């Protein structure tokens, strides 16, 4: 195109710097490969039970699970895959989960929607304390 300047040195450098990031993104989403953005399909050991105080909650981003503990010590676990458009939720403030994609908010103690656009509650997952560890996720199907 006439008059269009050649790419500046800065543009070229920036393009080169972005390449590894783009490559990583493609790898994580390869078709047919295991997706990282899903809830557990089998029980997973999340960590020490003592990490969650009564009335508190903890977000396990690597597993897309949030676990909360009620005042009596009971545990609840929910998938943190947003029910609006399936983004993994990456933020927990107190017991409020906030989706980065469109701002939906959920209550980590019961999975209920606090703020739309999501309208469906988070999916509850089985959870138990085993030997001082928190284990959450559905039992394997026989
Ligand atoms: Fe979470 Fe849209 S995917 S608000």
């Amino acid at each position: 195109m006439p008059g269009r300047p050649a790419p500046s040195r800065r543009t070229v450098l920036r393009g080169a710097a972005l390449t590894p990031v783009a490559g990583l993104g493609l790898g994580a989403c390869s078709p047919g490969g295991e997706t990282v953005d899903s809830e557990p399909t089998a029980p997973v050991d999340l960590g020490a039970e003592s990490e969650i105080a009564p009335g508190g909650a903890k977000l396990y981003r690597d597993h897309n699970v949030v676990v909360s503990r009620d005042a009596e010590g009971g545990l609840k676990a929910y998938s943190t895959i947003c029910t609006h458009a399936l983004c993994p939720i990456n933020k927990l403030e107190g017991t409020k989960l906030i989706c980065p994609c469109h701002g939906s908010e959920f209550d980590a103690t019961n999975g209920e929607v606090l703020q739309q656009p999501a309208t469906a509650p988070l999916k509850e997952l089985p959870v138990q304390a085993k030997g001082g560890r928190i284990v959450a996720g559905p039992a394997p199907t026989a």
Side-chain angles (χ1 to χ4, degrees):
M1 197 177 357
R4 183 174 178 170
S8 71
R9 184 174 149 74
R10 168 180 255 187
T11 306
V12 171
L13 284 177
R14 191 169 51 209
L18 285 176
T19 304
V21 176
L24 272 179
L26 283 176
C29 303
S30 59
E34 187 159 328
T35 165
V36 283
D37 293 338
S38 63
E39 69 220 21
T41 52
V44 287
D45 182 331
L46 295 173
E49 195 193 350
S50 58
E51 287 179 356
I52 308 175
K58 186 169 166 67
L59 174 59
Y60 298 92
R61 268 190 259 184
D62 290 351
H63 297 287
N64 295 311
V65 175
V66 67
V67 180
S68 61
R69 185 190 291 280
D70 62 25
E72 288 77 46
L75 295 171
K76 290 269 190 190
Y78 296 90
S79 161
T80 52
I81 300 300
C82 184
T83 57
H84 176 237
L86 307 182
C87 283
I89 297 171
N90 62 1
K91 194 168 180 188
L92 177 70
E93 284 180 358
T95 56
K96 182 170 75 178
L97 291 158
I98 303 164
C99 181
C101 290
H102 315 99
S104 289
E105 297 177 0
F106 298 88
D107 186 335
T109 67
N110 58 18
E112 295 297 323
V113 175
L114 298 174
Q115 174 75 47
Q116 292 189 356
T119 56
L122 295 174
K123 180 179 169 187
E124 186 167 0
L125 299 170
V127 61
Q128 57 180 314
K130 248 188 186 171
R133 312 285 296 175
I134 292 173
V135 179
T141 47

